[in-house]
Amino acid sequence: PLVSQPRPSDSPSPSASPSASVLSTDTPEGVVRAFFDALARARRTDDPTVLTPFVTSTNSSAYLTATGFLEGQKQVGKASVITTNELRDLRVDAQDGAAIVTFTQHVEGYDIDFDTGEPLESPTALPDVTVRVQVRQVDGRWLVAQFETVP
């Protein structure tokens, strides 16, 4: 009976958000969504370590690019609160354990003071960008190797 079922957690239901398999390393699309979700969260703390489960290594171009961006924010005393982080029109071109995932990213948010957490600006939408991501299959998991914005 339903009474003996464990109580659901406070996490959104799969119908309200991407399912667990979509935010995973099971597919090229899944790891790209997981990586960019983690990057949005990392922008609040400027701490890149949340990206490590989703990259080929901490020496990868993807990790070093993200770390450089976060360090740059930290050096000028700011972090960011991302309120919207949408990946649209994902296209996956996969072959032989590698894939290129291309998508349009829509980001909204605002910068905060790194030390106090106080907002430095009003919420704003950044211009949409097209992002190309190289992913590789490593030990059965898809991981991000590199990403760049493209014209």
Side-chain angles (χ1 to χ4, degrees):
L2 286 175
V3 197
S4 65
Q5 295 284 338
R7 288 182 49 94
S9 70
D10 291 332
S11 62
S13 68
S15 59
S17 68
S19 70
S21 64
V22 173
L23 284 178
S24 74
T25 57
D26 293 347
T27 65
E29 177 183 343
V31 74
V32 167
R33 288 188 180 280
F35 176 84
F36 282 91
D37 178 64
L39 182 55
R41 285 184 284 117
R43 289 178 67 170
R44 181 156 193 141
T45 60
D46 293 337
D47 178 5
T49 58
V50 296
L51 302 172
T52 54
F54 310 113
V55 294
T56 53
S57 81
T58 54
N59 293 321
S60 68
S61 172
Y63 189 82
L64 296 175
T65 298
T67 299
F69 172 78
L70 296 171
E71 280 296 318
Q73 282 204 139
K74 194 174 190 175
Q75 285 175 0
V76 295
K78 69 179 183 180
S80 302
V81 174
I82 304 303
T83 56
T84 302
N85 181 38
E86 295 175 358
L87 280 51
R88 304 179 184 144
D89 306 321
L90 273 90
R91 294 177 305 284
V92 178
D93 179 15
Q95 58 186 41
D96 299 329
I100 301 292
V101 180
T102 308
F103 62 90
T104 301
Q105 185 178 30
H106 176 76
V107 174
E108 296 177 18
Y110 54 94
D111 289 339
I112 59 173
D113 181 280
F114 182 78
D115 294 319
T116 67
E118 291 297 312
L120 297 174
E121 61 182 354
S122 298
T124 186
L126 299 175
D128 288 0
V129 292
T130 300
V131 182
R132 183 171 49 219
V133 186
Q134 291 182 15
V135 296
R136 291 195 195 107
Q137 210 165 16
V138 179
D139 298 328
R141 298 167 57 226
W142 286 96
L143 300 171
V144 174
Q146 179 179 343
F147 69 94
E148 62 185 344
T149 57
V150 292

